[in-house]
Amino acid sequence: MNRHTTLFFLLIATTLGASATVSLDSCRNMALRNNKLIQMAKENREGAGRLKESARAAYLPGIDFTGTYMYNQRIINLLGEDAKLPTMSFDPTTMSYQYNLVKGADGMPVKDPSTGSYIPSEVAVIPKEAMSYDIHNVFAGAFTLTQPVYMGGQIRALNEIAGYGEKIASAMSNSVAQDIVYTVDETYWTVVSLIEKKKLAESFVNLTDTLQYNVNAMVEAGVATKSDLLSAEVRANEARIALVKVTNGLTLSRMALAQICGLPVDTEMELEDERLGVPESVGAISDTDMQAVYSRRQDLEVVRQTINLLKGREKLSLSEMLPKIAVVGAYSFSNPNVIDGFRKRFGGGFSVGAALTVPIWHWGGDYKRYKAAQSSTKAQKFLLEDLEEKVSLQVSQARFSLEEAEKTYKMATLNMEKADENLRQADLAFREGVLTTNDVLMAQTAWVAANSEKIDAGIGIRLARTYLSKVLGTLDAGVPQQ
């Protein structure tokens, strides 16, 4: 029965004023679908999967765009004033170019007395304005492609870490699901137990009412005392109080079960196991392969995958000490540009290159981080060994608890049979005047206690089975698909 079908029948039953009959499996499925912790674990698992996909993208080239704008207060003047450059003329006699200089009467070049340099007879003038550039508004941009070639194993380590993170999230989700299933089972069987105890309390009320009626008739007939009647009335009131308490407890337990299943707390549900039958005998419990138990336990799986994740962090720390190579390609442009003279328009071009980074000396910081990662891995391994020892003890305790529950149920069944016979004999002896009212009250008390112990023992077997299945890692807690 899927979730929508179950909810449909619950809605129809509630509308008609009746109660819907649901099984333990239905309660488990509804709880697994609606529980907030399961939904959180599902989101964590999906998030870990997306991180794994993002880690794979690191193998592929990355394309980025960078754009800038800058306003400058001043323009650039490459010359402080007009530049006067000397000129040269070709001299056929020497077959070379000679500076055009001022010559004296002797035909020799004349020097400037103040500077000691020759005075040119002709100059070429470069105006200051010709070497002034307007850079008030500068626009620039670049498309860059980067392809990692070798990153010291960093990308591979990141992918491994992401993969282990996904496995951790999945194991945590399964562990949470098992905890929820066990809680559902515990609450479900608590409801069943209280239903049986309510029936028992109602039977006890009937017994005490009958005894009170009989004692009252005997008082009127003069064969019983007022004290006997008062004792019967007190016991009848105690039985009614016990009925009220178990009824209130049953109501609260039903509300708790509905809440765990994700339904309104006032939802009326009739449980398939309300008629508590004799639990099936599980017989002798064979020895369990603990290695198989360790492999099934989801809480241990979380620790195992955490160890793998920490090993990935070791590789990541090691990659920080290794060289890294990447190929870079870019198309850059700017306005103004100086590709073909200074022009106030966009211009650019392509460039390709390679980048190499080689760590040389960082005062041991990278190495210490690597050793710290190794220490974290070793600590997690010790934690796994400790948890495996505790799981082994946990399994042994669970097996003994189930065996004890079965023995307790058998003894409780025998006690109840004896209590039934004792009550029947006491009632007959009381009618014949052999036993007193207190004797009958004691027999009734023993009968109630024996029946209550049998109910608790039966529920104990079911819970012990579920707990043993949980610690063995065999509890079926698969999250149903939406």
Side-chain angles (χ1 to χ4, degrees):
M1 182 183 294
N2 59 35
R3 176 196 179 197
H4 299 292
T5 304
T6 303
L7 291 178
F8 173 76
F9 283 118
L10 287 175
L11 178 62
I12 295 299
T14 303
T15 304
L16 298 177
S19 59
T21 301
V22 295
S23 64
L24 177 59
D25 288 339
S26 297
C27 291
R28 287 180 173 183
N29 291 335
M30 286 187 290
L32 291 174
R33 286 191 178 95
N34 301 325
N35 189 272
K36 297 299 185 295
L37 293 177
I38 286 292
Q39 294 174 2
M40 290 171 56
K42 178 183 176 182
E43 292 298 326
N44 290 335
R45 189 171 63 249
E46 292 181 356
R50 295 189 182 100
L51 286 177
K52 182 179 179 180
E53 294 174 357
S54 69
R56 291 176 182 171
Y59 287 111
L60 304 176
I63 300 176
D64 301 287
F65 170 75
T66 302
T68 61
Y69 164 78
M70 183 170 291
Y71 171 78
N72 298 290
Q73 179 183 5
R74 299 180 182 275
I75 65 174
I76 293 179
N77 295 309
L78 297 182
L79 299 176
E81 58 184 12
D82 294 345
K84 299 178 178 64
L85 303 178
T87 60
M88 301 179 73
S89 298
F90 184 74
D91 185 357
T93 59
T94 61
M95 299 301 292
S96 64
Y97 285 92
Q98 302 293 330
Y99 282 103
N100 298 318
L101 302 174
V102 176
K103 297 181 179 180
D106 57 359
M108 298 299 294
V110 178
K111 291 184 178 181
D112 186 347
S114 61
T115 62
S117 59
Y118 294 104
I119 301 174
S121 60
E122 296 179 1
V123 294
V125 178
I126 300 178
K128 175 182 177 180
E129 292 77 8
M131 301 299 289
S132 298
Y133 303 101
D134 180 7
I135 59 167
H136 285 309
N137 298 286
V138 178
F139 300 88
F143 289 94
T144 306
L145 182 146
T146 304
Q147 173 61 60
V149 177
Y150 177 72
M151 305 301 290
Q154 186 180 72
I155 297 178
R156 180 180 298 176
L158 288 173
N159 275 268
E160 291 178 356
I161 289 173
Y164 295 135
E166 185 180 32
K167 293 179 180 179
I168 289 173
S170 178
M172 291 181 66
S173 177
N174 295 335
S175 180
V176 170
Q178 287 185 344
D179 291 339
I180 291 173
V181 166
Y182 182 74
T183 302
V184 170
D185 284 26
E186 189 175 33
T187 308
Y188 181 93
W189 292 116
T190 298
V191 173
V192 173
S193 172
L194 290 174
I195 290 172
E196 293 298 312
K197 288 187 176 182
K198 181 181 178 182
K199 296 176 182 177
L200 178 62
E202 291 172 347
S203 299
F204 188 44
V205 169
N206 292 333
L207 285 176
T208 55
D209 286 345
T210 300
L211 179 61
Q212 180 182 355
Y213 177 81
N214 292 334
V215 172
N216 185 59
M218 295 173 67
V219 169
E220 293 178 352
V223 294
T225 66
K226 188 68 174 179
S227 177
D228 293 332
L229 179 59
L230 290 175
S231 298
E233 290 176 348
V234 169
R235 184 54 55 87
N237 289 335
E238 291 176 351
R240 293 188 181 92
I241 292 173
L243 177 60
V244 171
K245 289 182 178 180
V246 74
T247 301
N248 291 339
L250 175 60
T251 301
L252 294 175
S253 296
R254 287 187 182 277
M255 294 171 66
L257 180 61
Q259 187 273 330
I260 294 173
C261 293
L263 301 174
V265 294
D266 57 350
T267 302
E268 289 290 336
M269 292 187 296
E270 181 180 352
L271 308 184
E272 284 187 351
D273 295 278
E274 288 191 8
R275 295 183 177 274
L276 185 62
V278 178
E280 299 177 359
S281 175
V282 297
I285 301 174
S286 59
D287 292 335
T288 304
D289 181 5
M290 291 308 302
Q291 293 301 321
V293 174
Y294 297 153
S295 65
R296 290 192 300 262
R297 285 289 294 259
Q298 295 303 299
D299 50 348
L300 298 184
E301 179 67 13
V302 171
V303 181
R304 284 191 293 269
Q305 296 304 327
T306 301
I307 292 174
N308 292 332
L309 186 146
L310 291 175
K311 290 181 180 178
R313 289 187 178 177
E314 289 182 25
K315 297 178 182 178
L316 190 62
S317 299
L318 181 61
S319 69
E320 297 295 330
M321 297 183 284
L322 299 177
K324 300 173 181 60
I325 303 174
V327 175
V328 180
Y331 177 80
S332 306
F333 57 90
S334 64
N335 180 8
N337 73 87
V338 292
I339 296 175
D340 191 13
F342 185 85
R343 297 186 179 184
K344 297 192 66 174
R345 64 184 183 185
F346 282 101
F350 290 97
S351 59
V352 178
L356 171 64
T357 302
V358 180
I360 297 178
W361 183 252
H362 295 277
W363 303 101
D366 295 337
Y367 179 73
K368 291 175 182 177
R369 280 193 293 270
Y370 173 66
K371 299 303 290 184
Q374 286 185 323
S375 296
S376 298
T377 304
K378 292 178 181 178
Q380 200 72 11
K381 289 180 179 179
F382 287 126
L383 175 61
L384 178 60
E385 293 176 1
D386 180 65
L387 290 178
E388 287 179 347
E389 293 175 359
K390 292 179 179 178
V391 166
S392 179
L393 176 61
Q394 202 176 44
V395 170
S396 298
Q397 291 175 338
R399 290 170 56 192
F400 287 134
S401 295
L402 180 56
E403 293 173 355
E404 181 182 358
E406 289 229 334
K407 294 177 182 179
T408 301
Y409 181 80
K410 293 178 181 178
M411 290 186 290
T413 301
L414 293 176
N415 289 339
M416 190 191 71
E417 293 174 355
K418 294 179 180 179
D420 285 341
E421 180 63 19
N422 181 52
L423 180 61
R424 189 182 69 83
Q425 294 291 341
D427 186 61
L428 289 175
F430 176 74
R431 294 176 182 275
E432 294 175 0
V434 177
L435 295 180
T436 65
T437 303
N438 288 333
D439 295 329
V440 177
L441 293 176
M442 291 176 60
Q444 290 178 346
T445 300
W447 178 82
V448 171
N451 277 271
S452 180
E453 289 175 357
K454 182 183 177 182
I455 293 172
D456 291 338
I459 296 299
I461 289 180
R462 287 167 167 81
L463 291 180
R465 288 178 182 175
T466 303
Y467 181 69
L468 179 59
S469 179
K470 181 177 182 292
V471 299
L472 291 176
T474 58
L475 182 62
D476 184 11
V479 180
Q481 298 296 322
Q482 297 290 346

